[in-house]
Amino acid sequence: MMFNSEEDVRAYYTRYAKQNGFGVSRRTSKLGDDGKSVKYFTLSCACQGKAKSRAANPLKPQPKQNLGCKAKINASRCLDGRFMVSTVVLEHNHILSPGKARYFRCHKNMNPYVKRRLELLDKTGVRASKNYQSLVIEAGGFEKLPFGEKDARNHIDKARRLRLGVGGAEALRNYFARMQEKDDRKAEKENAQDHDSFKSMHPCITRYAIEKQFQEAYTNKKFKEVQDEFRNQMYCYSSLLKQEGAISTYQVDDEITIYDDMIKEVRFHVYFNEEECEVQCTCSLFEFKGILCRHALYVLTMMKKVKILPSKYIIPRWRKDLKRNYKYVKSSYDDLSGNPEAQRYDKLCASFSEVASMASKTEKSCMIVMTCIDKLKEKLHLNESSSENGQISHHTPGALTISNEVVNGTSMECNKVLSPAVVRSKGRPSSKRKESKVDNVVRKLKRKRQQSQKTSKKKKEKSIQVLVYIYFNYP
């Protein structure tokens, strides 16, 4: 049998499975040489395979669905792109029931109309059971519906979680206000640190050119962490273990302070590729924190006399000249009238998006746009270098507003977020729920104990008052 696509094969086998009373699952598949198209795949009975029991108590095993059924079909792609069914196994090792096939997951389906109706009836206060019963009556029976009551309840619960309750909108608004305040403080703190890094610079503690390279690139705070590694080089000692072509392996002994007066000697291995100028240490500090460790720096400065590090060891995240693009991102509560740079960024993004949608249709048009962008970059770099005026544009704090704020002396009024209708919770109201006899007895005993404590406290206070009266009136 020949099919035009994988979806056609699955739809045909799923219809066959529903008529005969079993479920379908995808068992295996393999991609072609291009890594995208499917070379062949297998559809099998939902009861295929064998499951291992994971019950906590082996004497009470859980029921399992994997019964080791061998029923399956294999389909492979032909040269013309179509799929041919190559293997068919029809025998099952379990009972088939066409009347109960609708309970398998592959045969369940809930269309958008049914989902919308369940949500609307739930908003009006109709209970989930009656909501589902209305669909059963409309369909003409349970067997006519492609889903069960549990599926309907799950969809209703999911829709309820996505709706806001009483005060939910106000709580959400307050949350965004707090996050905005934190982001503004964070942005202001980063701007202040950037300003400090531009106007001041920590002096180098060594004469190595690598340290000077970090000093010119990193912010002051991050450069101090790099200096700690340079400072701790005095506790390291290195020796060459072996040389294999351009790769050298060094053994570095280091002294690490565990407690105030306890020192432990630790041995690390540093690998250096002289052709690629790559260095790697077994302590993995660069992989974890993005800073070259003292062992790698010792080999680079003392053993190999490297003058300039490759750019891959200078992390852009901590550069002092980094452009923070999050300042230009526009949200639904933004008012960019006080930030001309963000306005221009938003305008350019809209234009670039239109160009990208047109250029992405063919490879030729994509290459034309990329060539033009490269030329524009070069022109802009030349323009910046020639007309550099030293002014740095920062985002104006308070430009992102949720409530009424004053920006540049003008009152900016935003739309008020209103709370939606009350979302009815699942089940009977707590005030009308039935109480068990045990809970009723415990509640009465607790109330009686509280009343007796109040009574004894009042008697004690009254007796104290009488004693005080006698003491002062009858000496």
Side-chain angles (χ1 to χ4, degrees), residues 183-193 326 395 397:
D183 290 341
D184 289 343
R185 290 177 182 176
K186 182 181 178 181
E188 182 63 23
K189 186 177 179 180
E190 289 179 349
N191 290 335
Q193 291 178 355
Y326 65 80
H395 176 65

Side-chain angles (χ1 to χ4, degrees), residues 73 82 106 148 150 165 167 187 194 207 214 269 349 357 398 409 432 440-441 445 464 470:
I73 62 168
R82 295 190 299 170
C106 60
K150 185 178 180 180
D194 291 344
R207 291 178 291 179
F214 282 113
H269 291 91
C349 284
S357 62
K432 296 183 179 180
N440 192 11
V441 172
L445 290 174
I464 292 174
I470 294 173

Side-chain angles (χ1 to χ4, degrees), residues 164-176 333 417-420:
L164 295 175
V166 178
E170 185 67 21
L172 186 62
R173 175 189 172 279
N174 295 335
Y175 171 77
F176 280 121
Y333 292 100
V417 183
L418 301 177
S419 297

Side-chain angles (χ1 to χ4, degrees), residues 5 119 143 148 162 191 307 402 418:
S5 63
E119 294 174 9
E143 65 280 356
L162 295 176
N191 290 335
K307 301 297 182 181
I402 292 180
L418 301 177

Side-chain angles (χ1 to χ4, degrees), residues 8 11 31 52 91 97 118 156 205 241 244 285-286 317 319 341 362 370 376 380 391 420 447 455:
D8 294 342
L31 298 178
K52 295 181 180 179
E91 293 77 14
S97 177
L118 289 172
I156 292 173
I205 59 176
L241 282 182
E244 295 180 354
L285 182 66
F286 182 76
R317 176 182 177 185
R319 295 184 66 93
E341 188 176 357
T362 61
M370 293 302 297
L376 283 174
L380 289 173
Q391 294 181 356
R447 185 185 301 173
T455 305

Side-chain angles (χ1 to χ4, degrees), residues 189-328:
K189 186 177 179 180
E190 289 179 349
N191 290 335
Q193 291 178 355
D194 291 344
H195 176 67
D196 294 338
S197 299
F198 278 113
K199 75 172 185 179
S200 62
M201 187 179 296
H202 281 282
C204 295
I205 59 176
T206 66
R207 291 178 291 179
Y208 299 130
I210 294 179
E211 186 185 5
K212 183 70 174 177
Q213 188 177 357
F214 282 113
Q215 181 195 39
E216 295 175 353
Y218 277 178
T219 60
N220 291 342
K221 183 178 180 181
K222 187 55 63 175
F223 178 61
K224 288 175 65 178
E225 297 182 20
V226 177
Q227 279 190 324
D228 290 339
E229 298 300 321
F230 276 99
R231 191 178 294 109
N232 290 322
Q233 285 188 37
M234 65 178 70
Y235 304 110
C236 299
Y237 175 77
S238 176
S239 59
L240 180 64
L241 282 182
K242 60 180 178 179
Q243 179 88 26
E244 295 180 354
I247 300 177
S248 305
T249 303
Y250 292 90
Q251 176 181 301
V252 181
D253 297 327
D254 189 9
E255 294 182 353
I256 299 177
T257 304
I258 301 178
Y259 299 105
D260 294 337
D261 55 350
M262 185 175 180
I263 297 176
K264 180 181 179 181
E265 293 185 359
V266 185
R267 181 167 295 173
F268 300 96
H269 291 91
V270 178
Y271 305 95
F272 179 74
N273 188 337
E274 194 164 359
E275 292 181 355
E276 304 292 337
C277 194
E278 292 182 351
V279 64
Q280 184 179 5
C281 181
T282 54
C283 72
S284 302
L285 182 66
F286 182 76
E287 287 77 8
F288 282 101
K289 297 182 64 177
I291 300 176
L292 282 178
C293 62
R294 65 197 73 170
H295 321 112
L297 292 174
Y298 188 92
V299 172
L300 291 172
T301 56
M302 301 294 292
M303 309 299 293
K304 291 297 182 180
K305 308 296 183 181
V306 175
K307 301 297 182 181
I308 301 297
L309 275 178
S311 58
K312 61 184 176 181
Y313 295 110
I314 308 295
I315 307 299
R317 176 182 177 185
W318 298 311
R319 295 184 66 93
K320 63 176 70 177
D321 56 350
L322 175 66
K323 298 292 185 181
R324 306 188 188 279
N325 294 328
Y326 65 80
K327 298 184 293 185
Y328 308 133

